[in-house]
Amino acid sequence: MTASRAQAGVAAGLLAALVVLAVVGLFLQDAAVKVDVASALQAPGAAHWFGTDAQGRDVFARVAVGTSIALASGIATVAVGGGLGLLIALVCGLGPRWLDAVLVRLLDAVMAFPALLLALAVTMAFGTGLLTALLGVVVTVVPVFARTLRAEARRATSEPFVQAARTIGLSTPHIAVRHVVPYLGTTLSVQLAANVGNVVLVLSGLSFIGVGAQPPTPEWGAMITEGLQNALTGQWWIGVFPGLALLLTVVAVNLLADSIPAVRAARRARRTRRSRRPRPNPVAAAAVKEA
Amino acid sequence: MSRPTSSTSAALKRGAGALLGVLATLLLASVVSFVVLRAVPGDPARLIVGPLATPDVLAGVRTQLGLDDPLWLQYLHYLRDFATLQWGYSYSNGADVTAVIAARLPATLELALWAFLFAVVGAVVVATLASYRGGALAGVAKVVSLVGLGTPQFWVALVLVLVLGSSGLGVLPGPSGRLTSFLEPPPHVTGLYTVDGLLAGQPIVFSDALAHLALPAISLALIPGAFLTRLLTANQADVARAPFVTVVRSKGVSRWAAHRRHVLHNALLPSLASAGLVLASLITGSVLVESVFNWPGIGQVLVQGVQRQDFAVVQAFVLLSAVLYVAANTAADAVVALVDPRLRVSTR
C-alpha cells in the first residue's frame, strides 16, 4: 500500500513538473516559432538549454509549447471520449437488452481496428490537422470507455442499492446519474488516467506520420520527424528532447493510473475506520430509541 | 458413450455461435471502414484525375469506380473486392495495391517475427525472474514494463540509431534497409532474408540481415514485450498461490522446478488470449518504426500513402489490420479452449 502511495507521489511530482513546463510554454509561443537562421543547429548550452533546430528555433521553447499542446489535447480528447463512452455504457447497462447487444457488437467492430490506424483513417478522411486528429483519436477512445464501463454498469444493476432505488420508484436516468455513475468511479478514473497516456502517444504518432499537427506547430511527434533529418549528422537534441518529454508524460500518467485503485481503496478503508470509531450512527440510534 | 458425443455437439454449437459472432464483427468493421471511406469530403475521382481534368474524364472515372451507384451497391462491391483481394489502385501512381502489399509483405513479416521473438523471450525471462526472486528485482521489472508501455516506438528507434547506429558507437548499421548494399539478397524461398540466408548456406547474409534487423526489431518489441512482461508477472503470481503448487512442493519438488514446470507453464496459457493485442501493436509499430529505418515493408508504404493522400492504400491496410486482429483473437481463443480442459468444463 505504501508502495502504491509512493508511486502515486512520483507520478504526481512528474505531472506537476510537466504542468509547470506547459505553463512556461504558454509564454514561449513566439519564441517557439521564431526563425533565426544565424543561430541554427546550436548544441545545448547556456543560451539555448535544449539547443536550436535547423531553422534556429529554440528547442526548449518548442518542447515547452509542445507540452501545453499535448496536455491540453490529451485531456480534452479523453474528457470528450470518456463522456461519450460513459453515456453509451449507461445506455447499454440500464437500457433494453437488444440495444445493449447491438451497441456492444458495434463497439467491438470499432475496437477491432488498431487505434493508431483507425485514427489515421478518420483523420485522413476529414483532412489532416491537429483538430481532425483529435476527432480521429476520440473515435478510438469512445469504445474503450464504453466497453469497460458497460460491464460495470451491468453489474451495478444486480446490486441491491440499484434494485432498492428501482423499488422506491426512482426513474432510470436518475438511477443512472446518482447511483450508477458513482459506482463506476474507480474504473472511470483509472480509465481516464490510463487513456490520457495512450491518447498522447497516438496523437504524437499521427503527427510523426504527418497527418496530425503540421510542421510549424511545435507538436512533439512532428518535432521528432524533423529531428530525424538531423539525427545522422549528429544534431541529436532536436529529436531526443521532445521524445523524452513525451515518454515522461506517458509514464507519469500510466504510473498514476496504476496506483489509483490501491490509493482509493486505502482512502475508503481509512474513511470507514474513522466513521466506525467515535460517532454512533444517527439512523441506528434513532431506530434503537424508537424500539 | 452418449455423454461425450453430446458434449462435442454442444462444443460444435458453441464454436459455430462464436464463428457467427466473429463474422458479424467483421461485417460491422467493414461497414465502419466503408463509412470512413465515404466520409472523405473530396471526390475520390477528383483526387485520382487531378484538378485540371475535364468533366468528361471525371465522369468516366466516376463510372469506372462505381461512384454513381447507390450506396448499398457500392458497399457490396467494396466487400466483394476486399474479399477477392482486389484492393484497388493507388491514387497517386496507379500501382495495384494488392501487388504492392504482397511484394512488401516479407520484409514486414520478417521484422515482426523477430520482434515477436524478442518480446516473448524477453518477457518470459524478466517475468519469471521477477516472480521467482521477488523483492527489488520485481520492483525493477515493474518499473521497466511501465516505462516500456509508455515509450513512443519511433522515438526509441531514433535514440537506438543515435546511440548504437552508424552515427554513434557504430555497433549496428543505421537506417539502411535490410542488407548492406554490396550483398545480394539470398535466393527467394520464404522472402525472409535471415531464413533464406541460412537455407542457401550463406552465413554472411544471415548475420548481415540480422544486424540490420536488430534495431528496428528491438524498437518494435518494446511495447508488446512490456505488455507481456506485466501479464506474465501477474499470471505467475496468481498461479504461484494456487493450492496445487503447495502440493507439488510438499512432494519434494524443488522450488525452482515447481516454478518452471508448473507455475510458468500454467501462466503462459492465459496470455495466449492477448495474441490479438500483441499483433495489433506489431502492426501499429511497423507503421511507426519502418520509416525511421528505411525498412522496405508495408508500414513504409502506408506512411508514403498517407503523405500522398493515397486513400486506396490506407483503406486496404486499415481494414486488413482489423481482419488480422479479429482472426488472431479467434484463433487464440480456439487454441486456449482446445488446450485448456478447465475452460471446457467451466463454460458448460
Side-chain angles (χ1 to χ4, degrees):
Chain A
M1 209 178 284
T2 45
S4 63
R5 283 188 69 183
Q7 191 181 324
V10 171
L14 269 176
L15 281 177
L18 285 163
V19 169
V20 170
L21 190 61
V23 172
V24 169
L26 293 180
F27 296 99
L28 289 176
Q29 277 172 335
D30 292 335
V33 290
K34 205 184 90 201
V35 174
D36 177 11
V37 186
S39 58
L41 297 178
Q42 283 182 11
H48 300 283
W49 292 351
F50 289 179
T52 58
D53 68 5
Q55 298 176 47
R57 294 172 299 197
D58 184 55
V59 175
F60 176 75
R62 291 177 67 73
V63 169
V65 176
T67 311
S68 56
I69 293 177
L71 291 186
S73 49
I75 292 169
T77 312
V78 166
V80 174
L84 288 174
L86 178 63
L87 199 68
I88 296 177
L90 290 175
V91 170
C92 281
L94 300 166
R97 284 261 167 180
W98 63 266
L99 191 59
D100 177 47
V102 170
L103 283 174
V104 165
R105 274 263 171 268
L106 193 62
L107 293 172
D108 281 351
V110 177
M111 284 174 86
F113 296 91
L116 179 88
L117 294 178
L118 181 60
L120 171 69
V122 173
T123 311
M124 265 187 90
F126 288 100
T128 54
L130 186 56
L131 273 181
T132 46
L134 290 176
L135 178 73
V137 177
V138 165
V139 170
T140 67
V141 167
V142 169
V144 177
F145 276 93
R147 204 71 172 79
T148 33
L149 293 175
R150 170 206 165 267
E152 294 268 309
R154 269 255 164 258
R155 195 168 319 136
T157 54
S158 59
E159 292 272 347
F161 67 90
V162 171
Q163 288 170 351
R166 277 206 203 291
T167 316
I168 61 173
L170 296 179
S171 69
T172 305
H174 183 98
I175 296 174
V177 174
R178 297 296 301 273
H179 299 276
V180 178
V181 171
Y183 179 83
L184 302 175
T186 302
T187 314
L188 184 61
S189 52
V190 170
Q191 284 294 320
L192 283 173
N195 276 291
V196 171
N198 284 339
V199 160
V200 171
L201 264 185
V202 171
L203 270 176
S204 66
L206 289 177
S207 302
F208 174 75
I209 297 174
V211 288
Q214 294 302 303
T217 315
E219 202 276 343
W220 291 336
M223 289 175 74
I224 295 173
T225 311
E226 287 170 26
L228 272 180
Q229 291 153 6
N230 298 96
L232 293 180
T233 49
Q235 288 85 25
W236 53 270
W237 54 87
I238 302 172
V240 167
F241 284 118
L244 205 58
L246 174 56
L247 174 66
L248 287 179
T249 308
V250 180
V251 168
V253 175
N254 284 356
L255 278 175
L256 187 70
D258 193 60
S259 62
I260 284 176
V263 169
R264 276 186 77 124
R267 189 180 302 161
R268 203 173 306 127
R270 232 180 5 253
R271 202 179 298 148
T272 46
R273 225 179 300 136
R274 202 177 298 147
S275 66
R276 251 184 225 155
R277 234 183 309 142
R279 257 180 306 133
N281 188 340
V283 181
V288 168
K289 212 177 279 173
E290 262 172 48
Chain B
M1 279 312 282
S2 68
R3 261 253 191 86
T5 38
S6 76
S7 86
T8 40
S9 81
L12 272 180
K13 214 174 269 176
R14 218 173 31 247
L19 203 63
L20 275 180
V22 167
L23 283 179
T25 306
L26 281 179
L27 265 182
L28 274 172
S30 73
V31 173
V32 170
S33 142
F34 180 74
V35 167
V36 173
L37 177 76
R38 287 293 107 191
V40 182
D43 185 349
R46 175 60 80 187
L47 276 172
I48 291 172
V49 296
L52 297 176
T54 59
D56 289 355
V57 175
L58 189 67
V61 173
R62 283 189 68 88
T63 330
Q64 195 190 333
L65 287 178
L67 290 176
D68 298 325
D69 295 335
L71 267 183
W72 62 268
L73 195 61
Q74 286 188 42
Y75 170 71
L76 286 184
H77 285 157
Y78 171 77
L79 211 56
R80 182 199 62 198
D81 289 348
F82 184 81
T84 54
L85 303 185
Q86 289 167 343
W87 297 337
Y89 298 91
S90 159
Y91 285 12
S92 53
N93 57 13
D96 183 356
V97 174
T98 316
V100 171
I101 288 187
R104 297 280 191 133
L105 186 64
T108 297
L109 205 60
E110 180 166 41
L111 188 59
L113 281 176
W114 279 97
F116 180 70
L117 197 70
F118 289 168
V120 170
V121 171
V124 168
V125 169
V126 172
T128 307
L129 281 178
S131 65
Y132 183 69
R133 300 290 295 273
L137 201 64
V140 170
K142 189 182 178 192
V143 171
V144 167
S145 65
L146 266 173
V147 172
L149 278 176
T151 44
Q153 288 152 309
F154 47 99
W155 178 73
V156 173
L158 170 70
V159 171
L160 285 175
V161 169
L162 282 170
V163 176
L164 296 172
S166 42
S167 54
L169 297 173
V171 188
L172 289 165
S176 53
R178 301 174 72 185
L179 278 181
T180 313
S181 53
F182 60 79
L183 279 177
E184 288 275 324
H188 187 282
V189 183
T190 57
L192 315 180
Y193 284 2
T194 45
V195 178
D196 286 356
L198 280 183
L199 286 179
Q202 298 171 327
I204 300 174
V205 171
F206 172 76
S207 62
D208 191 66
L210 197 58
H212 277 82
L213 261 173
L215 293 184
I218 291 171
S219 333
L220 201 55
L222 217 63
I223 287 186
F227 171 73
L228 285 174
T229 304
R230 269 194 101 169
L231 193 69
L232 284 176
T233 313
N235 284 355
Q236 290 187 40
D238 281 350
V239 178
R241 275 195 297 269
F244 79 86
V245 179
T246 317
V247 173
V248 168
R249 290 278 287 131
S250 71
K251 288 185 171 180
V253 179
S254 76
R255 183 163 169 253
W256 170 244
H259 194 93
R260 195 182 60 80
R261 293 279 315 266
H262 299 277
V263 176
L264 179 57
H265 283 192
N266 281 295
L268 282 177
L269 194 62
S271 56
L272 257 182
S274 60
L277 278 177
V278 170
L279 183 75
S281 94
L282 287 175
I283 293 176
T284 316
S286 76
V287 173
L288 293 173
V289 167
E290 279 182 6
S291 56
V292 178
F293 287 95
N294 202 13
W295 192 262
I298 302 177
Q300 208 188 18
V301 174
L302 183 80
V303 173
Q304 287 163 356
V306 168
Q307 281 152 4
R308 294 181 194 140
Q309 293 283 304
D310 202 330
F311 285 93
V313 173
V314 177
Q315 292 300 337
F317 189 86
V318 169
L319 183 53
L320 185 65
S321 69
V323 172
L324 287 176
Y325 173 83
V326 173
N329 265 346
T330 314
D333 284 350
V335 169
V336 172
L338 279 178
V339 175
D340 194 341
R342 283 170 301 179
L343 284 178
R344 259 173 279 162
V345 177
S346 62
T347 44
R348 200 128 47 89

